[in-house]
Amino acid sequence: MADHIEIGRLLRSETTGFVFGCKLDQIDSPSFGALVRVRMDDHYQIFGLIYDIQVQDDGLVRQLITSDTLANEAWLDTRGNRTVPVEIGVLALGYMLDGQVSHLLPPRPPLSLDEIFLCTPAEIAAFTGAGRMGYLRHVLRDQDKPVEELLAAHLKQARDVQSAAGNPAWFEAALEEVIALLKDDYPTLMRVLGAVDELELARDRQSELNGRLG
Amino acid sequence: MPVNLVEIQKSLSSFADQAKTHFEQEAIYLRELEQVLTSYADPLDQIRSVVGREVDTNARLRCAVPTDEAINTAIPVGQLPERVALLAADGSQINPSRHARVPFCVINIGAVEMLRGSGQMPKVYQESQLLDYDRTTLPDTGLISEGRVALARDLAERQKLADWSAELPQPAIAMIDGPLELYRDVQQATEFERIAWQFQAVLEQFRRNNVFLLGYVDKPGSDLLVSLLEVIARQDKAFQSSFPKDRPVRVVDTALFKDILTAPGDRSAVFSVSSPTSGKFGNDQQVHFFFMNVGSEDFQHLARVEVPAWVAGDKANIALIQAALWDQTRIMGTKPYPYLLHRSHEVAVVSLDEHRRVEEMIVSEFLRHHIPVGSPSQKQAVKDLMQDGGK
Amino acid sequence: MTDQQRSNTPKTDQIGIITGGSLKNNLQARLTVPSHEVQEGAFVVAGGEKDRWLFYGLITDLRLEAHDPRYAQEDLGRRLSPRLAGLLRAQTLYTSAEITNTLMMEPGPDPLEDPEGYETWFQSVLTESVPPQPAKTVPLHHAPVRLARAEDIALIFGKEGEKAFFRLGDTLEQGHPVCVNLDRLVQRSAGIFGATGTGKSFLTRVILAGLIQHDKTAVLIFDMHNEYGPDDIASDTGLHVPGLKGKFPTKVRMVGLGRNATIRGARPDYTLEVAEADITPEDVLLLAQELNLRDTTATTLDALRASFHGTWFSEFKKMRTNAFVPGDDGKLEPAPDSVQAWAESVGVHGSAAEALHSKLRRLFNAPYIVEQPAANALQQMIDNLDNGQHVVLSFGDYETDLDYLFVSNLLTRRIREVWEKRTNDFRGGKGAPEPRPLVIAVEEAHKLLNREMASQTSFSTIAREMRKYYVTLLIIDQRPSQIYDEVMSQLGTRITGWLGDSDDIAAVLTGLASRDALRGMLARLQPKEEVLMLGWGVPMPIVIRSRRYDNVFWEELLQPKTSSRKTNTVFDGLDF
């Protein structure tokens, strides 16, 4: 069912995040900055943000790149059949317990082989629209991650969803929260806003293009 | 220190001297063989009658027999047809161990199918079988021997290859790694006979389905052609003196083909094999073989390819196989080995982790049924410790 | 708007939150509105409705601040899109305001939830049974700060139309009416200051009109330039400016100086002449500067008084100067009716006496000084003031400082003597009626109240006495720095327009706690419009846009019931 796109299963986890694996041919679904969820049971789901996608190599992949003419079928085989490890890192943002969204870290992390799903627009709207966007602090915490790109990617996804859900003011509120969280860190904040500005510019260019087309 | 390096050091000089002598003798012997080969490349009927005569006097003779191509022929690789179906299978096993907590044996068969030219994603087959407890634990010998497990695995591998290739679109090639014939554990003669008949049925299955079965021997150490040349030389006065009954040194066939299969893709003539068992499965299934240079201009690499007689009977089939293997080995770039064989091995192989997991599954099932579970032997426990500590 | 709608609409007048401060210094607030929405001098309230106290004060400084200086230094508009730059500025750049912590008061009942309770409480505040008190503590951190609403202003400064509250102007930002308690205003002397052209005399007219209309106090105006009584033409706009006489024809008596006085071509109600017998040596000494009197003058005057008592002025006037007659020895001697002769007879220096006589010639020649006035105009003035009337003494053509100083001082002295006697009679248990409070308005006050003269004039006495004898001053001046500090410090209420001179600014703020903060405010007042009200007579300093002295003013003053500005409830003007 298109509403519930499974994108992989959990490899390992800790309180602040988890890593799941997926097959190479599933890799079209998860994208950097996408909101995902792990359904633990009927009452409890964990939400997170994809911050890293790693396609690992192995001996055969390394060998195949030496081929002058890589057969199309071998390429498909590697993508579709082989267990070339694709590891996707997820930052834990919060959870939903009995329908109540919390932006605190989940009380316990997901377990091995738990299924990971892409969040539907309704789930994104519910999670990002709850409370006062406290989950953004989890994104900003780890400066080792590409925070600005991650935020920009997430804000784009959430902005589109919230706008479609009739809540265009969400984006501005989120930016205000980001600024509030980062204003003590001038260099990071300016980098984040620079990345967000790319979104704005892209949208402006898109609407300009749409206008010209018609 | 586990090895006394000082003592080894003392012997090194003599060891190298011996090797040098050996290589020199080998080179001399090879030159002699090459002279025989040059003299007897063409008269195929004469050669076959010499071999026939030799078989009469030496029932245990094992040598190559030319078919209808000159012995020193090199045939270049042709064009691969637009479509060809390929299936490769491999097997692996978990051998039972008396050091483990429970006796068990798993045979794992993997296969990968590629419809070359279709642009479709290859299909992966996989089957795992937990050997029956009764077959694993035997009244006389205790645990089933590794040889018997290997035999069972080889048969299963060929059986599955036959099953899974049955529906392949034509032309179709099925391949395994290694010689076509089953490994024979001399201690299990009765068992081997039973399995050999099963194997014959499998061979028939390939033929029925018109699937060209082949065994790919990557680094052949065989000396079937050398043996043939020795038989010929011994009956020719011009060469007799150089070929005593007991050969001075062993030379392998690939040494002879080195200067014949010079162009990448070349194959040798197709040979049949004269051996005590070669007639066992009937003439149609008799093993034929040829050598092939799967290397590049810079790097020659020879492989031996085994096919049943019914496949070898049509040179078009051989040409198809030659082209298909050439294509498969090209996929692997600098390490020319058929891609599908590597992939089937990848699918079939049982990792240590999987081994442990299967053992845990069996142990917990035993515990659930209150079946006594042993502890690993002290030897295994210590090994495990060292492995864990070495991580 | 229904009450339901009102209660659902949040009040949006918050401008910031308290972030710091101390009792000794001012409070600091972080503004939550753009800096341009708030101005220096704005009257603000700190504290929430549920807090224990509400604090009242003025914004005295606005500072541009940044969460990190880099946000201020980076040109965000060039680096980010307008929306992002706007959001970033909103959180990292802000304005902080310095607020005086002047008064505090317990919040009353909520006017929306309990209108009756609020009205009762409000009245008790107006009657000062629950007065605002000087701030003795500070608001909580993050207490909301808002611009004062009409109700706040009314609580602190009183409500127009109630009791003695008279609207003097409006707050700068929102135009809420600001009143002064006229009864309180006249309890101590008051001053109206401002550089030339800042609308001092219009403001004075407004206050005088208020006092006359309030009718609790008699007003005597020394109208040096004939601008308060008669109608006038404004010097700057050329517009007609109504005089007090025209608006209060029966209540205001116009008195001209000199027998034939006309004021702007019109005859006064009556004229005033000064009897020579009324002039004292002190009256002359007061003119020392004007007449360039020498140090010896006091000795000479003392001798004159000793010789002639009450008639010293006319006797001296009659003496001849440089009059000599041959003596017994044939030498020329001073004539017996000469100054010299008198001087020799009493042992004062002849030439000094001669010089004094010469310098007093301007007085001797003043037409309004007569030996025997035709009528007792002084008594008539006193009667008028007793009868609930008000007197404007116009100086007519006698516009010199000499005339003004001499006459105003002399009259004031005489009137004060009368009021002092009446007060003593009233307090002495002789059944005498309580004297009617009197306010004497004097212009160019620094000429009467400067350091040299302050001890000699009746004005300084009045200023110092406060209301002991029911007489106070309303002094109008452009150079407050020239007025003796002690007098300045006694002024109960000071209302000042723009002042350019720093000495003048300092003088106006003498004796006030928050003068440092007020100094800047005073220097930046908008000339002609804004005035700063401060001192004992107002609960706290405040900058207001002063009421315009125009037809609307008169309409509102004389017909309050039909006035558009008349308010019926304390809620009017609130921004609900």
Side-chain angles (χ1 to χ4, degrees):
Chain A
M1 195 165 139
D3 271 1
H4 298 286
I5 302 173
E6 189 211 316
I7 50 172
R9 286 180 180 270
L10 190 106
L11 294 174
R12 55 186 179 272
S13 65
E14 56 187 353
T15 306
T16 55
F18 46 90
V19 173
F20 69 91
C22 75
K23 290 197 288 184
L24 266 179
D25 65 342
Q26 286 177 306
I27 205 167
D28 289 345
S29 299
S31 58
F32 179 72
L35 201 63
V36 299
R37 67 181 170 87
V38 185
R39 189 170 161 278
M40 305 286 286
D41 57 42
D42 287 347
H43 307 278
Y44 179 38
Q45 301 193 88
I46 292 173
F47 287 81
L49 203 60
I50 293 179
Y51 70 86
D52 188 29
I53 301 178
Q54 285 191 21
V55 180
Q56 315 261 350
D57 62 357
D58 69 355
L60 179 58
V61 171
R62 270 189 290 243
Q63 189 53 50
L64 290 179
I65 61 169
T66 67
S67 170
D68 293 333
T69 51
L70 178 60
N72 196 24
E73 291 82 3
W75 179 79
L76 289 168
D77 187 35
T78 298
R79 292 291 179 90
N81 296 329
R82 301 197 60 247
T83 52
V84 176
V86 177
E87 290 197 355
I88 299 186
V90 175
L91 196 68
L93 296 185
Y95 59 95
M96 188 190 270
L97 188 62
D98 291 325
Q100 291 292 309
V101 170
S102 167
H103 290 164
L104 297 172
L105 288 176
R108 61 186 165 88
L111 305 176
S112 299
L113 298 181
D114 274 343
E115 287 176 305
I116 285 92
F117 296 91
L118 273 187
C119 285
T120 62
E123 287 161 349
I124 294 170
F127 184 81
T128 59
R132 298 178 63 183
M133 300 182 211
Y135 71 93
L136 290 173
R137 69 177 177 272
H138 303 311
V139 183
L140 301 174
R141 184 182 300 123
D142 192 349
Q143 300 283 323
D144 292 340
K145 297 184 170 66
V147 167
E148 51 271 23
E149 303 300 323
L150 186 58
L151 257 183
H154 166 66
L155 289 176
K156 178 183 186 314
Q157 183 188 40
R159 177 190 68 187
D160 295 348
V161 167
Q162 292 284 3
S163 294
N167 187 13
W170 180 91
F171 185 53
E172 202 154 295
L175 289 178
E176 282 173 352
E177 181 66 15
V178 168
I179 292 169
L181 289 169
L182 273 182
K183 65 183 172 189
D184 284 331
D185 184 353
Y186 176 83
T188 306
L189 178 56
M190 292 309 283
R191 280 203 306 275
V192 166
L193 293 181
V196 172
D197 230 10
E198 290 289 320
L199 289 184
E200 297 275 274
L201 290 174
R203 186 156 75 164
D204 291 349
R205 279 196 294 267
Q206 186 60 45
S207 44
E208 193 186 325
L209 191 66
N210 292 345
R212 249 189 277 158
L213 293 175
Chain B
M1 191 178 283
V3 178
N4 190 333
L5 296 179
V6 177
E7 283 185 3
I8 288 175
Q9 178 72 41
K10 284 179 193 161
S11 317
L12 279 182
S13 171
S14 154
F15 186 78
D17 284 345
Q18 292 166 29
K20 191 180 174 195
T21 311
H22 180 89
F23 280 118
E24 283 165 2
Q25 288 178 339
E26 204 177 282
I28 294 165
Y29 196 59
L30 180 61
R31 272 199 302 280
E32 311 247 354
L33 285 169
E34 280 168 349
Q35 284 173 21
V36 178
L37 176 62
T38 311
S39 308
Y40 285 89
D42 275 344
L44 301 178
D45 290 340
Q46 189 188 343
I47 295 171
R48 276 195 290 272
S49 61
V50 168
V51 173
R53 284 200 299 278
E54 182 70 15
V55 170
D56 290 344
T57 57
N58 180 6
R60 299 184 59 187
L61 177 69
R62 239 182 98 77
C63 72
V65 180
T67 52
D68 53 357
E69 291 166 329
I71 298 175
N72 60 354
T73 305
I75 297 170
V77 65
Q79 193 72 36
L80 187 71
E82 223 167 77
R83 292 282 182 96
V84 56
L86 300 151
L87 181 72
D90 196 13
S92 70
Q93 73 282 342
I94 300 173
N95 285 315
S97 164
R98 58 192 185 84
H99 301 294
R101 302 175 69 191
V102 286
F104 71 99
C105 173
V106 169
I107 287 173
N108 197 45
I109 307 298
V112 181
E113 170 192 307
M114 179 189 278
L115 303 179
R116 189 71 173 104
S118 71
Q120 289 174 19
M121 187 192 295
K123 192 170 166 187
V124 174
Y125 299 88
Q126 209 246 337
E127 194 166 298
S128 307
Q129 184 197 356
L130 178 65
L131 213 62
D132 283 351
Y133 191 83
D134 292 341
R135 286 182 65 196
T136 308
T137 309
L138 304 171
D140 47 354
T141 56
L143 290 177
I144 184 173
S145 73
E146 292 189 7
R148 288 174 76 175
V149 174
L151 195 60
R153 178 204 64 197
D154 286 349
L155 178 66
E157 172 188 308
R158 285 155 177 76
Q159 178 66 63
K160 286 292 145 195
L161 186 65
D163 293 347
W164 289 330
S165 66
E167 303 293 325
L168 286 179
Q170 297 290 317
I173 298 171
M175 60 182 103
I176 55 169
D177 181 60
L180 280 183
E181 287 194 57
L182 292 172
Y183 167 77
R184 178 172 184 159
D185 184 345
V186 287
Q187 294 175 343
Q188 303 296 333
T190 327
E191 172 100 359
F192 181 76
E193 286 303 312
R194 187 174 59 78
I195 287 181
W197 286 114
Q198 287 180 8
F199 177 46
Q200 191 183 7
V202 171
L203 290 175
E204 285 305 318
Q205 199 176 331
F206 282 110
R207 187 179 179 189
R208 243 191 343 270
N209 294 330
N210 198 40
V211 173
F212 305 155
L213 174 67
L214 69 89
Y216 184 88
V217 184
D218 181 50
K219 198 181 170 190
S222 63
D223 58 356
L224 291 170
L225 182 61
V226 170
S227 299
L228 172 66
L229 293 176
E230 285 170 342
V231 168
I232 294 168
R234 284 186 202 117
Q235 53 80 45
D236 186 333
K237 288 192 178 73
F239 298 112
Q240 266 172 351
S241 58
S242 305
F243 293 89
K245 194 160 178 28
D246 296 316
R247 55 169 69 143
V249 67
R250 186 168 189 264
V251 172
V252 292
D253 293 349
T254 47
L256 284 170
F257 286 114
K258 205 169 66 183
D259 292 329
I260 298 170
L261 305 177
T262 50
D266 280 357
R267 73 159 171 87
S268 69
V270 176
F271 301 89
S272 65
V273 180
S274 172
S275 79
T277 57
S278 59
K280 201 179 195 90
F281 302 132
N283 289 339
D284 283 349
Q285 298 295 0
Q286 212 179 336
V287 171
H288 284 55
F289 69 90
F290 59 88
F291 281 82
M292 180 172 174
N293 180 3
V294 294
S296 61
E297 296 285 355
D298 307 326
F299 170 70
Q300 185 189 50
H301 187 76
L302 300 180
R304 196 178 81 233
V305 181
E306 295 187 358
V307 292
W310 68 268
V311 175
D314 186 343
K315 289 294 173 296
N317 298 347
I318 297 297
L320 175 70
I321 287 170
Q322 184 187 6
L325 287 174
W326 177 247
D327 177 64
Q328 283 290 302
T329 51
R330 290 317 88 198
I331 293 175
M332 293 295 279
T334 56
K335 290 204 165 30
Y337 180 77
Y339 173 78
L340 282 182
L341 281 178
H342 174 82
R343 285 285 291 118
S344 60
H345 172 74
E346 208 175 59
V347 175
V349 76
V350 179
S351 70
L352 192 64
D353 198 38
E354 288 166 323
H355 183 149
R356 281 183 182 164
R357 199 170 290 178
V358 173
E359 182 170 342
E360 281 162 18
M361 284 166 68
I362 296 171
V363 166
S364 34
E365 186 69 14
F366 274 31
L367 292 176
R368 226 153 52 81
H369 290 86
H370 308 292
I371 302 165
V373 172
S375 53
S377 72
Q378 296 308 315
K379 181 180 171 186
Q380 186 62 43
V382 172
K383 270 188 180 175
D384 288 347
L385 270 180
M386 290 182 73
Q387 270 182 355
D388 287 345
K391 272 182 185 174
Chain C
M1 189 185 278
T2 65
D3 286 346
Q4 184 64 36
Q5 285 171 314
R6 280 182 181 177
S7 58
N8 288 340
T9 312
K11 292 176 180 174
T12 55
D13 50 1
Q14 183 171 335
I15 57 164
I17 53 170
I18 292 293
T19 55
S22 73
L23 262 185
K24 284 186 180 170
N25 296 306
N26 291 325
L27 300 175
Q28 272 86 45
R30 176 176 174 157
L31 295 190
T32 50
V33 296
S35 56
H36 60 76
E37 288 188 17
V38 179
Q39 292 181 17
E40 181 184 41
F43 184 42
V44 296
V45 183
E49 315 296 331
K50 309 287 181 206
D51 288 350
R52 175 83 174 80
W53 298 101
L54 292 176
F55 297 83
Y56 300 84
L58 295 183
I59 289 183
T60 58
D61 194 15
L62 294 168
R63 266 193 312 279
L64 295 176
E65 310 251 27
H67 189 79
D68 181 314
R70 285 176 287 186
Y71 292 115
Q73 281 150 16
E74 175 91 44
D75 186 353
L76 299 176
R78 285 173 67 97
R79 193 159 161 188
L80 298 170
S81 62
R83 171 153 79 155
L84 276 187
L87 289 172
L88 186 55
R89 286 191 192 108
Q91 284 203 47
T92 57
L93 305 178
Y94 59 95
T95 309
S96 74
E98 196 156 312
I99 300 171
T100 58
N101 186 18
T102 312
L103 294 176
M104 66 182 197
M105 195 169 176
E106 288 180 271
D110 188 307
L112 295 175
E113 288 173 8
D114 182 9
E116 281 180 24
Y118 181 84
E119 187 61 32
T120 308
W121 173 79
F122 179 73
Q123 288 302 326
S124 67
V125 176
L126 291 191
T127 55
E128 301 192 9
S129 57
V130 192
Q133 46 182 298
K136 292 193 179 65
T137 181
V138 290
L140 294 172
H141 269 108
H142 294 185
V145 179
R146 57 178 168 80
L147 290 176
R149 302 170 190 146
E151 58 185 352
D152 300 309
I153 310 277
L155 273 175
I156 303 296
F157 291 94
K159 182 165 165 257
E160 186 177 13
E162 303 240 356
K163 303 189 170 42
F165 293 113
F166 172 71
R167 181 164 68 89
L168 207 55
D170 306 298
T171 56
L172 299 187
E173 275 85 5
Q174 288 154 308
H176 299 318
V178 179
C179 295
V180 64
N181 183 337
L182 292 175
D183 289 344
R184 195 172 172 88
L185 179 76
V186 300
Q187 273 181 27
R188 293 190 188 185
S189 292
I192 296 173
F193 306 104
T196 309
T198 53
K200 262 192 327 283
S201 59
F202 287 121
L203 185 64
T204 308
R205 281 184 183 93
V206 167
I207 292 175
L208 292 174
L211 285 171
I212 292 168
Q213 175 70 7
H214 185 50
D215 211 19
K216 294 278 168 56
T217 307
V219 177
L220 168 61
I221 302 158
F222 291 114
D223 189 3
M224 183 181 181
H225 303 300
N226 307 315
E227 46 189 10
Y228 295 105
D231 292 356
D232 199 0
I233 302 295
S235 58
D236 48 355
T237 60
L239 293 174
H240 174 255
V241 180
L244 296 173
K245 173 70 183 170
K247 293 296 178 182
F248 298 108
T250 54
K251 276 189 171 180
V252 171
R253 309 306 287 169
M254 290 252 296
V255 180
L257 183 62
R259 182 170 299 177
N260 300 314
T262 57
I263 301 149
R264 298 192 187 277
R267 294 288 300 170
D269 290 325
Y270 54 93
T271 59
L272 171 75
E273 287 171 314
V274 175
E276 289 175 348
D278 285 341
I279 300 171
T280 65
E282 287 77 19
D283 294 333
V284 174
L285 274 178
L286 188 73
L287 306 172
Q289 208 169 352
E290 287 299 318
L291 297 176
N292 195 19
L293 299 179
R294 294 182 189 173
D295 294 345
T296 54
T297 302
T299 317
T300 312
L301 287 173
D302 282 347
L304 281 168
R305 181 149 59 184
S307 300
F308 308 108
H309 306 289
T311 59
W312 71 272
F313 185 83
S314 45
E315 292 301 328
F316 193 43
K317 181 181 171 186
K318 284 178 207 155
M319 289 181 194
R320 293 190 297 146
T321 53
N322 292 322
F324 295 95
V325 292
D328 296 341
D329 53 2
K331 288 182 184 170
L332 284 177
E333 327 183 312
D337 59 347
S338 71
V339 174
Q340 191 75 23
W342 167 78
E344 283 177 12
S345 70
V346 296
V348 297
H349 205 280
S351 60
E354 284 271 355
L356 178 63
H357 191 275
S358 156
K359 286 175 177 170
L360 288 184
R361 191 158 296 135
R362 285 175 68 189
L363 287 180
F364 298 152
N365 296 336
Y368 54 82
I369 301 176
V370 296
E371 196 165 359
Q372 193 62 53
N376 191 349
L378 179 63
Q379 186 56 48
Q380 196 175 348
M381 284 167 66
I382 292 168
D383 290 345
N384 291 151
L385 296 171
D386 276 346
N387 296 334
Q389 289 178 311
H390 311 274
V391 173
V392 179
L393 175 62
S394 291
F395 282 75
D397 299 332
Y398 306 110
E399 282 194 55
T400 65
D401 284 352
L402 179 79
D403 301 321
Y404 180 68
L405 295 181
F406 177 73
V407 173
S408 60
N409 183 55
L410 186 143
L411 277 181
T412 303
R413 178 167 53 76
R414 292 297 307 276
I415 287 168
R416 186 188 161 276
E417 282 164 7
V418 172
W419 254 259
E420 186 174 348
K421 182 173 181 307
R422 288 177 176 185
T423 306
N424 289 335
D425 290 349
F426 169 64
R427 296 206 174 124
K430 295 176 185 169
E434 184 179 5
R436 185 175 168 85
L438 172 65
V439 171
I440 302 175
V442 280
E443 288 193 287
E444 308 280 355
H446 67 273
K447 290 174 180 165
L448 299 160
L449 289 165
N450 59 43
R451 177 178 281 276
E452 291 75 31
M453 251 179 253
S455 57
Q456 301 169 32
T457 63
S458 359
F459 292 106
S460 62
T461 314
I462 294 170
R464 283 198 300 271
E465 284 171 347
M466 294 186 256
R467 207 192 181 188
K468 192 169 163 191
Y469 296 108
Y470 291 81
V471 183
T472 56
L473 297 178
L474 176 64
I475 61 179
I476 300 119
D477 206 297
Q478 61 195 33
R479 295 306 311 272
S481 62
Q482 308 282 312
I483 295 175
Y484 188 35
D485 320 350
E486 221 170 278
V487 174
M488 278 304 287
S489 64
Q490 294 299 328
L491 294 181
T493 308
R494 297 168 218 180
I495 300 167
T496 177
W498 180 81
L499 286 169
D501 187 285
S502 58
D503 289 345
D504 290 333
I505 292 174
V508 167
L509 302 176
T510 305
L512 289 169
S514 49
R515 58 182 171 277
D516 287 343
L518 296 170
R519 184 173 292 126
M521 213 184 290
L522 188 47
R524 285 183 290 273
L525 286 178
Q526 183 94 17
K528 291 196 182 223
E529 279 195 6
E530 296 168 3
V531 295
L532 173 64
M533 228 169 37
L534 64 165
W536 171 87
V538 285
M540 56 178 281
I542 187 168
V543 176
I544 59 170
R545 183 168 292 111
S546 60
R547 209 165 168 179
R548 295 182 73 87
Y549 183 77
D550 54 12
N551 289 333
V552 177
F553 166 77
W554 282 109
E555 274 175 34
E556 288 174 349
L557 187 73
L558 299 176
Q559 298 161 321
K561 289 204 167 62
T562 58
S563 161
S564 59
R565 284 206 67 119
K566 172 64 187 172
T567 55
N568 291 322
T569 77
V570 291
F571 307 134
D572 285 318
L574 298 188
D575 186 20
F576 286 127

